[in-house]
Amino acid sequence: MMILTTVSEKVSETEARVFWRVGTKKKGILDVTLDFAHEESALLGELVAIQHLLFAKKVLDREPGSGQGYKLVVSKGAIRKLALGKSSKKFASKFAGFLTNRMKGVTIEVSQSYEFMPSLDECEPESIGGERQVYAKTFDEVETPAMGCVKVTKHAVEQYQVRITSGSPKKPWASLVNRLKHPELRIQPLDAKVLAHKARKYGRSDNVEAWGHPTSSFIYLVIREDNGERFLVTVFERDEV
């Protein structure tokens, strides 16, 4: 199992210091600066640091596509509760969105131990920003050859997992992303009945795109915002409304 251990400390209401390690030799310190003030900056800073370490720094030598086979040992019990959907700290829910989407199923343990963590004498802290726009979101950005950058929502992953009968259902995010990266995906026509349904559901239909592959029954429903951003909002079979 791949294990990332973090311990966070509050420096101020906009700053947190996060000690981290993978095993006993790979380790470091992150100074996280939030773009807003909050009394629980240590909790938010730890969530930011975990995302940075997993997806940007790739300290586990790969970019996780699911929570299967991964363990996070964290210093704040609220992180485990957020992943289980049982936390009262709603202000942190978007910062923890990756735990219920891309990393769903990850094992989380709580410990405040500094054992094997680096000291300030041996390690220079790395400074990173904790911008809400980057770290507090309910989707993951994926680069695809056909659609460009697509923001994959939690609902889309859940709908895909419900409908998939092949592939890797235990790793729905990774399986879905693999399909989205097919270079031959094309915009598919939607009949008037389906468009009317989507207009009722999403408020309009002129920005709805249905992407699919000729040999697949899956349709990937994308909402294209006026600024060009694409959000994958759901996945359904061709004959569904």
Side-chain angles (χ1 to χ4, degrees):
M1 181 170 283
M2 308 292 284
I3 304 173
L4 170 63
T5 303
T6 54
V7 179
S8 64
E9 301 174 349
K10 179 178 179 179
V11 177
S12 71
E13 290 197 344
T14 59
E15 298 174 299
R17 174 161 288 166
V18 183
F19 298 81
W20 67 271
R21 67 178 178 86
V22 175
T24 59
K25 296 183 178 179
K26 184 186 291 188
K27 59 186 70 175
I29 303 172
L30 294 177
D31 281 344
V32 181
T33 301
L34 303 173
D35 60 357
F36 65 101
H38 199 283
E39 62 181 0
E40 295 208 40
S41 57
L43 168 61
L44 298 173
E46 191 162 353
L47 288 167
V48 168
I50 292 169
Q51 292 183 65
H52 175 78
L53 293 167
L54 289 178
F55 308 128
K57 202 173 181 71
K58 298 183 179 67
V59 297
L60 297 178
D61 297 324
R62 67 190 68 177
E63 188 171 341
S66 79
Q68 300 294 321
Y70 292 90
K71 179 192 289 187
L72 300 176
V73 181
V74 302
S75 65
K76 302 292 180 285
I79 295 177
R80 185 172 184 274
K81 290 182 179 179
L82 285 161
L84 295 172
K86 297 180 179 180
S87 177
S88 61
K89 301 182 186 294
K90 303 303 181 184
F91 63 87
S93 60
K94 287 188 176 181
F95 283 89
F98 71 102
L99 297 174
T100 57
N101 189 12
R102 184 171 183 172
M103 294 296 292
K104 186 176 182 179
V106 64
T107 299
I108 300 179
E109 295 182 0
V110 181
S111 171
Q112 287 82 36
S113 174
Y114 284 83
E115 186 178 16
F116 303 120
M117 288 296 185
S119 68
L120 290 170
D121 293 333
E122 63 178 313
C123 182
E124 182 73 21
E126 174 190 352
S127 297
I128 65 170
E131 300 86 354
R132 281 172 290 187
Q133 185 176 0
V134 177
Y135 294 102
K137 53 192 180 183
T138 57
F139 55 81
D140 287 284
E141 295 183 353
V142 176
E143 287 293 336
T144 72
M147 294 180 282
C149 182
V150 179
K151 302 178 190 303
V152 181
T153 64
K154 178 183 176 182
H155 180 72
V157 178
E158 290 173 343
Q159 292 303 301
Y160 174 73
Q161 187 172 22
V162 167
R163 290 164 169 80
I164 188 173
T165 57
S166 61
S168 305
K170 291 184 178 180
K171 298 181 179 180
W173 189 89
S175 177
L176 174 57
V177 167
N178 185 57
R179 288 174 181 258
L180 293 176
K181 290 187 175 182
H182 198 296
E184 295 182 11
L185 289 181
R186 297 290 184 269
I187 292 181
Q188 306 294 317
L190 283 173
D191 63 36
K193 184 179 179 181
V194 174
L195 282 174
H197 173 76
K198 301 310 175 186
R200 291 193 300 272
K201 187 170 185 178
Y202 299 108
R204 55 191 283 200
S205 63
D206 62 309
N207 64 339
V208 174
E209 296 177 346
W211 290 78
H213 188 276
T215 63
S216 173
S217 62
F218 278 116
I219 291 293
Y220 310 103
L221 196 75
V222 172
I223 299 298
R224 188 188 68 255
E225 299 290 355
D226 292 337
N227 62 4
E229 292 183 330
R230 283 188 168 99
F231 289 82
L232 179 67
V233 293
T234 193
V235 179
F236 59 92
E237 303 283 355
R238 289 180 186 273
D239 58 350
E240 292 185 24
V241 174

